[in-house]
Amino acid sequence: MTRGRQPPSLLSMKRWKRYGAALTAAWLALAPPSARAALPVDWGRVAERDLQAIHDILATSHPAMVVQRDAAPFRAWLENGWTEAKKLLPQVKDPISYFDLLTFYAGGFRDSHIGVNAVPGTPQGGRTFQWPGFSVAWTGTAYAVTDHPADKRLPPAGAQLTTCDDSPADALTRDRQGRRGVNIDLEPRRRAAAYWLLWSTEGLFLPPLKACVFRLPDGTARSYPLTYRAAEPIDISAASPTSTHARFGVERWGPDGWWIGAPDMQDEREWRRLLAAVKMHREALRHARTVVIDLRGNDGGDSGYAETLAKLLWEPELVDADRPNLGPVVYRATQMNRDTMAANLKTVETATTLSDEARTLRALVKRYDDAIAAGQASFTETAENPAPTHPAHRPINPMRGQMILLTDGTCTSACLDLMDLFQAMPNVRQAGAETGADTIFMEMTRTPLPSGYAGLHFGHKAWVDRPRGSNISYKPAPALTWTGSPADDAGERKWLAGAVGP
């Protein structure tokens, strides 16, 4: 993932998606051939070896081992989670349980930049989903049954879950969803994963639930036995939460507002068009009463687009004066991380238009080489604009009205970098729903695991002084929080028009 706009003295990873894609392709190419996949596999032994590799790679190459800030949860799970994962090894019998075990360990770090992925050609085993004929949704205070076809054997819509098999709902959630790497302390993640809380999924090391107690709409409590059946694609589709994604573009919004859609930070062609449109309408945008930046569905990519957009709207002088102080960056100096940078450099050197990036990467690879040769576990680079410039005469704010950042729970990675920067600017407010979150450890190293069936990715640097700490989200004020359906685009736009006020 692209993280944090960086200066020439660091790694200016504006094009991390492209650089990362080249490295991803390298380890994806290690997929086991079909002939090998057809041979009998001792999945327990494969899982044990790959689990050991994940532990050792993270212990030797992750920056949380050489910095103090936000490192304690990582270090604790590195060992405790490894111990817990090894207890599950006897249950690994097939590719489904193999991947579930690796996901359990990697997801337990509660870091959106640590994860495992299957490589093409890996046998998947045909995972099946069993469900009790209904789903639940997180309301913010409880899990409530969602609408389903009338059936008196099932709890009615609106009934709130209290316990299952004598386990309180919260404990049940932490166990069952935590095993899939869901951090339920983050509201968007809890909401997104709620629908399958009571489902039974092959390979999750969790037996099907027998009975659950619900508080009915009339206040009474009743226990319902759960009878599982195969979940058809239509069942999964109907139960999965849907949401609106922004659409690229710049358009008028009402008589005195403008709407800028930015659904991702990856599509270079679309961003080129978007920035050109912003430049074309810049004076009108600056004189508008309200400008909405629609970030719904934006899960990051190239954080450089945020910098460019901000400077178009506010001018570089004001952006540089108000930007947050990100502080220095600590890089974990290992051969694996160094090779990631070298692979990125090789990709960039083939593009004649990226000479600045090539120089930056070349300098960073040298820093890695020097640190490794000297036996250093890390090295530190000073961030560009480490603090606001605080000029003697504050630059004039050319944006006459208010700016609204419309968000949802998918806003992660570089989308959060945009939030960091834009929230520091004058007259900016957040609306919509709470964003996702990340950690201070970012910019991916990707490496295949010994079996060749999966690859591991993790962040190789740490923003040790970033104002926003690890797993901290952005939440709109209550008056600007959208409580309707995330799929209701028209309703949310109408609500926002009234909520932002004059």
Side-chain angles (χ1 to χ4, degrees), residues 124-473:
Q124 297 297 307
R127 184 187 299 273
T128 61
F129 296 86
Q130 303 282 326
W131 75 318
F134 67 96
S135 298
V136 296
W138 175 247
T139 67
T141 57
Y143 288 96
V145 177
T146 57
D147 288 334
H148 57 74
D151 187 338
K152 292 185 178 180
R153 296 170 298 178
L154 305 179
Q160 295 186 355
L161 177 69
T162 59
T163 64
C164 285
D165 297 344
D166 298 323
S167 178
D170 188 69
L172 178 82
T173 304
R174 291 187 181 278
D175 182 28
R176 297 182 77 85
Q177 294 187 333
R179 288 177 183 268
R180 291 296 291 169
V182 178
N183 184 358
I184 66 167
D185 292 325
L186 297 176
E187 190 79 358
R189 296 287 289 126
R190 183 193 283 254
R191 286 184 183 274
Y195 75 97
W196 52 261
L197 173 61
L198 305 183
W199 291 30
S200 176
T201 306
E202 182 182 350
L204 288 180
F205 313 116
L206 292 169
L209 298 167
K210 296 178 181 178
C212 295
V213 176
F214 292 86
R215 181 174 290 106
L216 305 185
D218 63 6
T220 62
R222 179 181 170 184
S223 177
Y224 288 84
L226 301 187
T227 302
Y228 286 91
R229 65 204 77 172
E232 302 297 333
I234 190 172
D235 299 322
I236 299 173
S237 177
S240 304
T242 58
S243 60
T244 297
H245 280 218
R247 299 181 298 274
F248 271 112
V250 179
E251 59 184 313
R252 294 298 302 266
W253 185 52
D256 51 6
W258 285 81
W259 194 280
I260 301 175
D264 67 50
M265 302 178 73
Q266 303 173 29
D267 194 318
E268 183 175 1
R269 180 180 301 178
E270 290 288 359
W271 267 96
R272 230 187 273 123
R273 292 172 180 168
L274 180 66
L275 294 172
V278 169
K279 190 172 184 179
M280 178 187 300
H281 298 292
R282 180 162 50 183
E283 288 308 308
L285 290 164
R286 287 178 170 179
H287 286 82
R289 182 179 70 85
T290 302
V291 175
V292 177
I293 308 291
D294 187 354
L295 298 170
R296 292 174 298 172
N298 189 322
D299 62 355
D302 179 350
S303 59
Y305 295 130
E307 180 94 4
T308 303
L309 178 59
K311 289 183 176 180
L312 271 177
L313 295 170
W314 282 287
E315 297 294 343
E317 294 77 15
L318 185 59
V319 173
D320 290 340
D322 284 3
R323 71 170 62 250
N325 178 8
L326 296 180
V329 182
V330 176
Y331 287 87
R332 185 70 191 271
T334 67
Q335 191 65 38
M336 181 177 291
N337 294 335
R338 183 265 181 204
D339 289 346
T340 292
M341 295 298 102
N344 293 339
L345 174 60
K346 185 175 181 180
T347 300
V348 171
E349 286 178 331
T350 64
T352 58
T353 60
L354 303 180
S355 57
D356 289 342
E357 282 79 359
R359 282 193 293 271
T360 298
L361 287 166
R362 199 173 294 115
L364 188 58
V365 170
K366 186 177 187 305
R367 286 300 311 270
Y368 269 105
D369 289 338
D370 292 345
I372 292 171
Q376 298 172 353
S378 65
F379 63 91
T380 302
E381 290 282 344
T382 302
E384 180 186 44
N385 299 315
T389 56
H390 297 305
H393 300 286
R394 177 176 171 77
I396 295 174
N397 177 16
M399 297 291 292
R400 305 292 179 84
Q402 63 181 337
M403 176 172 288
I404 303 297
L405 303 176
L406 185 61
T407 62
D408 63 12
T410 61
C411 183
T412 53
S413 193
C415 179
L416 290 171
D417 293 337
L418 183 151
M419 294 292 293
D420 291 339
L421 178 60
F422 278 53
Q423 291 271 58
M425 305 307 295
N427 301 330
V428 175
R429 293 188 291 169
Q430 179 189 2
E434 181 181 350
T435 66
D438 62 6
T439 67
I440 64 170
F441 310 108
M442 58 194 65
E443 280 183 7
M444 304 293 204
T445 287
R446 300 179 185 268
T447 183
L449 294 175
S451 69
Y453 291 121
L456 170 71
H457 58 266
F458 59 92
H460 57 236
K461 75 173 193 180
W463 284 104
V464 289
D465 288 339
R466 189 181 73 177
R468 178 172 51 83
S470 295
N471 288 323
I472 300 297
S473 61

Side-chain angles (χ1 to χ4, degrees), residues 83-103:
T83 298
E84 291 302 310
K86 286 187 289 187
K87 293 178 182 177
L88 299 172
L89 280 169
Q91 300 182 50
V92 176
K93 307 295 184 183
D94 53 31
I96 295 175
S97 48
Y98 159 78
F99 281 112
D100 284 343
L101 179 66
L102 299 191
T103 298

